[in-house]
Amino acid sequence: MKKLVVLGAGESGVGAAMLAKQKGWEVFVSDKGEIKDNHKHVLKNLVIAWEENQHSEAKILTADEVVKSPGIPDTVALIKKLKEKGIPVISEIEFAARYTTANLIAITGSNGKTTVTNWINFLLKNANYSVEAGGNIGNSFAALVAENPKENYVLELSSFQLDGIKQFRPNIGIITNITADHLDRYEYDFDKYVAAKFRIAKNQTEKDYLIFDADNPAIQDYLKKHKIKAKKLPLSSKKIETDGAFIDKKEIKVLIENNEFTMPKADIALKGAHNTKNAMAAATVAQLLKIRKQTIRESLEGFQGVEHRLEKVLKINNVQYINDSKATNTNATYYALDSMTSETVWIVGGVDKGNVYEELLPLVNKSVKAIICLGVDNEKIVKSFQNCVKDIFETQSMDEAVKMAYHLAKSGDSVLLSPACASFDLFKNYEDRGRQFKESVRKL
């Protein structure tokens, strides 16, 4: 019996362990931290051996193959030892793909990938497809393959997940955009981060499709320098002459092999230029799958968006509170600030991933009346904006930040949580941060 070691007992690790056990592997799960109770429960039920708060190297180095958590960098000493011994180290995405013949639609990008993933899943379900979404959101790909087999999977993939692929090949790949993010993981080298995103197309053939934002400079630059085998379908705000999608005055147009879909921009459920592109990506997939145009139209009109992404929470004293906790980089926050049409109290901060705040200055000048920093180290934020915003405050808890925003905001204003940073200094993750924001708002 071949032995699989799973490093990290989070959502992806436990999913990989479940699938491996089902497929007849001897499985051992090792986590350097504490394993959550619900994950322990799954491992115990399936009689899978596990350890927490340590990595027993002697045991791990006897593996035939290792699936590692996307959060573990390749630079860790244990990963180097495994590779020196010639033991393959792969991602859970790579492992799961071996055990399904489903149609795979994979989405990556610095921003917008969760919205696009959910929008495509919503659209395919409306068309009565056998489909489930997962990967970097919801259930892991491996858990879906083990417990919820479908004919189609829509997968959100982070660059970390793509780092661990060898042969994973999506039938349709989507790159929403690429801007500076996670540079701490890529030695502060933007080109390495771009290359990680483009791994989505690494194994694609001429039979596959790559949908991408043709207006994004990093994507344009990469495509000029590298050959991609997949059929390329650009998304653009300007007219294009090839198959793909573009904005024509007040309409979006999607053209695939002389089959055209058009729809007024005003009818798309989610507003903002970035969401128009997200809708175009979803419509392009639907056109490739030859879904009825009426179903596409209804799905673009009826989609409600995702939690923690420009989510309107409550209006109190005519002040709108908006939860954009999923904005973990400056580009995502750029979209949020750009969509503000009123004076805004902006709650920002967390773990900086190499952020450059200069691009936000014009938007901050235009609509931000006060900044509330919410993080352990706020020095860089204060320094970046002290010359254009007079009122900048520092806080250490969500309750304190929301109460302060309540006193600063006047009737007609907005309070926007759009942190531009990771959440791990004060919160478990961005979901925890967003939920705490909503709870604090409801307590006002």
Side-chain angles (χ1 to χ4, degrees):
M1 188 184 286
K2 287 176 79 178
K3 182 177 177 183
L4 185 80
V5 168
V6 178
L7 296 179
E11 195 69 43
S12 69
V14 172
M18 288 163 57
L19 180 59
K21 179 80 175 182
Q22 188 187 87
K23 300 301 177 185
W25 290 75
E26 179 192 339
V27 187
F28 176 60
V29 177
S30 174
D31 198 306
K32 206 168 184 180
E34 278 191 31
I35 300 175
K36 288 182 183 174
D37 288 343
N38 59 325
H39 291 152
K40 278 184 196 171
H41 180 70
V42 171
L43 296 172
K44 285 174 183 172
N45 269 3
L46 294 173
V47 197
I48 293 170
W50 55 273
E51 66 177 356
E52 63 182 343
N53 298 315
Q54 63 178 339
H55 284 320
S56 300
E57 281 195 14
K59 202 168 182 180
I60 291 164
L61 291 168
T62 63
D64 291 297
E65 194 161 29
V66 171
V67 170
K68 80 169 176 70
S69 159
I72 302 171
D74 288 338
T75 50
V76 167
L78 177 57
I79 303 301
K80 286 181 176 175
K81 283 181 189 174
L82 285 162
K83 290 185 175 178
E84 281 163 16
K85 273 198 81 177
I87 298 167
V89 179
I90 61 169
S91 71
E92 166 260 334
I93 297 295
E94 175 76 14
F95 184 72
R98 292 177 190 170
Y99 296 103
T100 180
T101 56
N103 183 47
L104 301 180
I105 302 162
I107 300 98
T108 195
S110 302
N111 299 296
K113 55 186 178 291
T114 301
T115 299
V116 172
T117 301
N118 281 288
W119 213 331
I120 293 169
N121 186 47
F122 176 74
L123 206 161
L124 267 58
K125 282 187 170 168
N126 283 350
N128 296 316
Y129 271 57
S130 163
V131 63
E132 203 56 64
N136 199 39
I137 55 167
N139 291 318
S140 69
F141 182 26
L144 291 175
V145 171
E147 294 198 309
N148 198 2
K150 298 287 183 186
E151 292 170 16
N152 301 271
Y153 291 112
V154 187
L155 304 172
E156 176 187 318
L157 301 181
S158 68
S159 55
F160 297 175
Q161 288 170 306
L162 290 167
D163 283 337
I165 67 164
K166 301 278 191 287
Q167 278 144 9
F168 171 76
R169 175 192 149 211
N171 305 90
I172 301 172
I174 300 170
I175 304 177
T176 57
N177 50 60
I178 305 178
T179 56
D181 195 10
H182 299 298
L183 295 189
D184 48 343
R185 173 78 170 244
Y186 295 99
E187 299 166 358
Y188 294 92
D189 185 337
F190 184 52
D191 288 343
K192 287 182 180 175
Y193 173 62
V194 174
K197 289 295 187 190
F198 266 95
R199 287 177 70 81
I200 200 166
K202 178 189 170 194
N203 301 308
Q204 286 190 303
T205 69
E206 294 83 355
K207 294 178 182 175
D208 305 315
Y209 296 91
L210 181 67
I211 298 166
F212 59 93
D213 183 349
D215 303 327
N216 182 267
I219 293 175
Q220 286 174 344
D221 189 51
Y222 188 92
L223 289 172
K224 277 178 198 161
K225 295 174 184 173
H226 301 84
K227 185 169 169 49
I228 300 290
K229 286 183 183 174
K231 292 172 194 162
K232 296 195 281 291
L233 296 173
L235 311 174
S236 181
S237 57
K238 300 178 280 289
K239 189 170 183 179
I240 56 173
E241 301 302 329
T242 63
D243 280 2
F246 65 95
I247 298 167
D248 185 15
K249 295 172 187 169
K250 295 185 177 179
E251 285 191 321
I252 63 165
K253 288 192 175 182
V254 183
L255 185 67
I256 307 287
E257 293 171 358
N258 297 318
N259 183 15
E260 188 176 82
F261 169 82
T262 62
M263 180 174 173
K265 278 198 303 177
D267 293 349
I268 295 169
L270 303 186
K271 304 307 174 191
H274 61 298
N275 279 320
T276 301
K277 282 268 178 77
N278 294 340
M280 287 157 67
T284 303
V285 170
Q287 280 282 83
L288 283 173
L289 298 178
K290 296 181 167 57
I291 290 170
R292 283 176 65 243
K293 288 174 185 173
Q294 187 57 30
T295 304
I296 303 174
R297 196 165 282 109
E298 287 168 0
S299 300
L300 297 188
E301 287 174 349
F303 182 62
Q304 293 300 306
V306 296
E307 191 182 11
H308 311 300
R309 195 75 191 93
L310 288 172
E311 177 191 9
K312 290 181 178 174
V313 181
L314 277 179
K315 202 173 244 194
I316 301 170
N317 297 336
N318 200 33
V319 173
Q320 181 68 63
Y321 290 79
I322 301 166
N323 169 27
D324 195 45
S325 181
K326 200 171 189 309
T328 59
N329 58 52
T330 50
N331 193 244
T333 293
Y334 183 97
Y335 291 138
L337 290 171
D338 193 37
S339 70
M340 291 294 108
T341 54
S342 61
E343 288 273 282
T344 302
V345 177
W346 175 31
I347 303 174
V348 57
V351 179
D352 187 295
K353 297 181 286 184
N355 287 352
V356 177
Y357 291 105
E358 276 72 14
E359 66 172 340
L360 301 179
L361 285 170
L363 297 171
V364 170
N365 267 323
K366 176 174 150 265
S367 57
V368 173
K369 65 185 284 186
I371 291 175
I372 299 170
C373 300
L374 178 60
V376 169
D377 181 7
N378 304 308
E379 186 184 351
K380 193 170 168 186
I381 295 167
V382 172
K383 217 171 182 178
S384 298
F385 299 111
Q386 62 189 359
N387 291 330
C388 62
V389 177
K390 189 174 64 136
D391 294 326
I392 301 180
F393 305 93
E394 297 194 54
T395 58
Q396 295 292 304
S397 78
M398 187 60 79
D399 263 351
E400 188 187 354
V402 169
K403 280 175 188 165
M404 189 173 285
Y406 175 79
H407 291 296
L408 288 166
K410 304 289 182 233
S411 176
D413 291 352
S414 298
V415 172
L416 171 69
L417 169 71
S418 190
C421 298
S423 55
F424 306 121
D425 54 347
L426 297 174
F427 308 95
K428 292 179 197 162
N429 46 42
Y430 77 81
E431 292 100 332
D432 176 43
R433 177 169 63 191
R435 284 177 194 135
Q436 284 198 36
F437 175 73
K438 292 195 282 187
E439 283 165 22
S440 297
V441 170
R442 287 176 188 130
K443 285 191 289 190
L444 288 173

